[in-house]
Structure formats: C-alpha cells, structure tokens
C-alpha cells in the first residue's frame, strides 16, 4: 500500500508539473500576443507619425514657395504699374499678355489647397485665415488686378497691392512658422532663417522685372519711332 501511495504521489506530481507546463505555455502565448500587439501599435504610431511628418514637410515646402511667388507677383505688378512708359489704358492689356505662370502658376492652386488641408489638421485657425484671404485666387495671370485708364483707379490699384501684401504675408508666414515648429527646432530655425533672409524681394525676381520692363519700354519706343 505504501508503495502504491508512493507511485500515486509521483504521478500526481508529474501531472502537476504537466499542468504548470501547460499553464506556462498559455501564459507565454498570451505574453507573446500582448507583446506583438504592443509592438504593432508602436509601429503603427511611428508609421502614422512619419506619414504626418512627411505631409507637414510637403506643406512647408509648398507654403514657402507660395510666399516666394506671392511676393514676386506683388513686386512685379507694382513695378509694371510704375515703371512702364505706356499710356495707362494699355497697361492692363500688357499685364494680361504676360507669359502664363510669370505672375502666378495656376497649378499652384491645387498644391496650395493640399498644403492648407494638411495645415488644418494641426492649426485650423491658421488654415481658416489663409482660406479667408484666398491668396491663390489673387494673381492667376494677373486677371484680378486692374489698373484702369485714369489716374484715380491707377493710384488705387497700387495702394490695394500694398494693402493685400500687408494683410496676407503675416498670415502666410504665421502658418509657415506653425508647420516648421511641428517639424522640430532645427527645421524651425532653418525656416526662420529663410524668412528673415527673404524679407526683401530676391535678386532674381528683380532681374526678371528689370528685363521685362526694359523690353516692353524698348518695344514701345521702337514702335513710336517707326510711326514717325
């Protein structure tokens, strides 16, 4: 009987060990599953963060280019309105006859909208300000700029250009700074350096304006000489 009890005890202990092993396997599976879930969640988080970072990087590049184009368009229109030696009634026709994309590339509108849609997820108020000012629609081939044929409308057009510039650029730069801040201190500093270094119109824009005005004035002078 004692021997039977001894064997029974061994069997019971063996079964107990087997139960512990099975429990250990189940726990290991659970832990592995939880760890896999957490790793998957972490990977998903970083993937989403990377996608968001890429989207904001694209938005920053687009907004910086739009600012550059906007400043260039304002400058060029102001120069055309003051430096062309043509009768006022011909000025609007000359502006309308400029090459497509010189004042504003219509394809920028789609890119601008995409940038603002991205920005709206981070800074909805800045996105609203930009949409409300509608800077994309201002200079599509200069169609919304009219100098008119008399002194009053001509003077008013020049003043309106300044008003538009003063109203729009701060909002645009505020949005650029908001996007750059999300991308980190290094990007924020580099962006601020770009903004600070381009408060004035870039030399290449001035060069284009100088050449365009010189060509138009030379053409007008040649035509006037031939008519004599």
């Amino acid at each position: 009987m004692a021997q039977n009890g001894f064997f029974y005890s061994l069997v019971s202990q063996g079964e107990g060990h087997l139960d512990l092993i099975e429990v250990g396997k189940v726990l290991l599976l659970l832990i592995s599953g939880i760890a896999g879930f957490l790793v998957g969640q972490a990977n998903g988080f970083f993937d989403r963060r990377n996608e968001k970072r890429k989207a904001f990087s694209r938005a920053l590049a687009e907004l910086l280019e739009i600012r550059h184009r906007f400043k260039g368009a304002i400058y060029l229109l102001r120069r055309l309105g003051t430096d062309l030696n043509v009768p006022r009634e011909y000025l609007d026709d000359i502006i309308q006859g400029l090459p497509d994309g010189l004042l504003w590339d219509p394809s920028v509108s789609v890119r601008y909208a995409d940038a603002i849609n991205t920005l709206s997820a981070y800074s909805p108020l800045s996105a609203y300000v930009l949409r409300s000012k509608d800077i994309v629609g201002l200079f599509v081939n200069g169609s919304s700029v009219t100098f008119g044929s008399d002194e009053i409308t001509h003077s008013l057009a020049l003043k309106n250009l300044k008003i538009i510039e003063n109203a729009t650029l701060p909002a645009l730069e505020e949005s650029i700074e908001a996007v750059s801040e999300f991308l980190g201190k290094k990007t924020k500093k580099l962006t601020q350096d770009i903004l600070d270094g381009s408060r004035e119109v870039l030399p290449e824009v001035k060069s284009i304006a100088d050449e365009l005005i010189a060509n138009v004035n030379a053409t007008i002078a040649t035509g006037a000489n031939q008519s004599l």
Side-chain angles (χ1 to χ4, degrees):
M1 293 294 293
Q3 189 175 10
N4 290 338
F6 174 74
F7 283 117
Y8 178 78
S9 176
L10 287 177
V11 170
S12 298
Q13 290 178 8
E15 290 177 347
H17 285 306
L18 288 175
D19 290 341
L20 289 176
I21 291 173
E22 291 302 320
V23 170
K25 289 180 179 179
V26 172
L27 289 176
L28 183 60
L29 288 175
L30 286 175
I31 293 172
S32 298
I34 293 172
F37 173 77
L38 293 176
V39 170
Q41 290 292 98
N43 288 338
F45 169 79
F46 287 117
D47 287 343
R48 290 191 297 272
R49 183 175 178 83
N50 288 336
E51 286 301 315
K52 187 175 182 181
R53 186 175 182 85
K54 290 177 182 178
F56 274 80
S57 295
R58 289 193 298 270
L60 178 60
E62 300 290 13
L63 290 173
L64 283 170
E65 181 183 345
I66 287 166
R67 173 183 176 269
H68 169 69
R69 298 294 296 273
F70 179 79
K71 285 172 64 69
I74 288 277
Y75 175 82
L76 182 55
L77 286 168
R78 188 182 295 125
R79 288 286 307 276
L80 292 174
T82 55
D83 295 349
L84 284 182
N85 297 325
V86 297
R88 288 197 180 99
E89 58 265 26
Y90 298 119
L91 181 56
D92 289 333
D93 290 336
I94 291 174
I95 291 175
Q96 295 299 321
L98 292 176
D100 290 343
L102 183 59
L103 286 177
W104 194 265
D105 183 355
S107 68
V108 175
S109 297
V110 176
R111 293 157 55 194
Y112 174 82
D114 290 342
I116 298 306
N117 286 338
T118 300
L119 177 62
S120 65
Y122 172 67
S123 181
L125 292 180
S126 295
Y128 165 75
V129 169
L130 282 180
R131 284 197 180 106
S132 68
K133 293 183 183 303
D134 190 25
I135 70 170
V136 168
L138 290 177
F139 297 116
V140 176
N141 296 327
S143 58
S144 61
V145 177
T146 303
F147 283 96
S149 59
D150 60 75
E151 185 176 352
I152 293 177
T153 56
H154 187 272
S155 177
L156 182 60
L158 290 174
K159 290 180 180 178
N160 284 339
L161 287 175
K162 190 64 178 176
I163 291 172
I164 292 171
E165 183 179 25
N166 290 340
T168 302
L169 275 178
L172 183 55
E173 292 180 356
E174 179 183 350
S175 299
I176 289 172
E177 290 168 354
V179 175
S180 69
E181 184 174 1
F182 171 83
L183 293 170
K185 292 182 179 180
K186 183 177 180 180
T187 301
K188 182 179 179 181
K189 183 181 184 306
L190 291 173
T191 301
Q192 193 61 54
D193 290 342
I194 291 173
L195 294 179
D196 292 340
S198 58
R199 297 297 178 189
E200 299 295 326
V201 177
L202 297 179
E204 55 266 32
V205 176
K206 293 182 179 180
S207 177
I208 291 173
D210 291 340
E211 185 174 353
L212 176 63
I213 290 169
N215 288 339
V216 172
N217 286 339
T219 301
I220 297 298
T222 300
N225 292 333
Q226 290 176 351
S227 65
L228 294 178

